[in-house]
């Protein structure tokens, strides 16, 4: 079981959350100008490191708010959280 520390509700079971993917992925400035390959790369290609990784999480069964967390993918330890305004 992974305990995820919600910034508003405190530590909760991972079953209460929805994974939102890699954090800090910038939306393209002009998506219409992208080729199909560039658009596919934006939509589907993400980093997959071993170690620290910034992720987006939504507390769907609780406060329903989004936040970013830095999780160590080797240990599943949540090392930091960032509130999304």
């Amino acid at each position: 079981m992974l305990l995820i520390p919600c910034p508003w509700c405190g530590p909760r079971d991972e079953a209460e959350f929805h994974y939102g993917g890699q954090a800090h992925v910038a939306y393209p400035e002009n998506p219409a100008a992208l080729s199909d390959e560039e658009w596919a790369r934006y939509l589907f290609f993400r980093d997959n490191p071993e170690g620290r990784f910034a992720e987006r999480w939504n507390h769907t069964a609780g406060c329903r708010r989004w936040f970013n967390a830095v999780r160590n993918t080797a240990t599943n330890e949540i090392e930091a959280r960032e509130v999304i305004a």
Side-chain angles (χ1 to χ4, degrees):
M1 172 177 84
L2 178 62
L3 260 164
I4 299 175
C6 175
W8 298 275
C9 304
R12 299 289 193 266
D13 182 81
E14 68 181 301
E16 293 189 16
F17 294 86
H18 175 80
Y19 179 73
Q22 182 175 350
H24 310 295
V25 176
Y27 191 77
E29 285 187 32
N30 187 3
L34 298 179
S35 68
D36 288 344
E37 182 178 336
E38 291 168 324
W39 184 245
R41 185 164 287 285
Y42 165 74
L43 289 176
F44 302 114
F45 285 71
R46 295 292 181 257
D47 296 334
N48 188 20
E50 181 178 352
R52 293 172 51 89
F53 187 60
E55 305 170 320
R56 293 174 44 87
W57 289 92
N58 180 256
H59 193 180
T60 52
C63 62
R64 303 185 61 81
R65 296 174 80 175
W66 283 94
F67 63 95
N68 291 340
V70 176
R71 180 176 63 92
N72 186 317
T73 60
T75 64
N76 271 341
E77 179 184 351
I78 306 286
E79 299 177 359
R81 292 172 305 193
E82 173 187 3
V83 174
I84 299 173

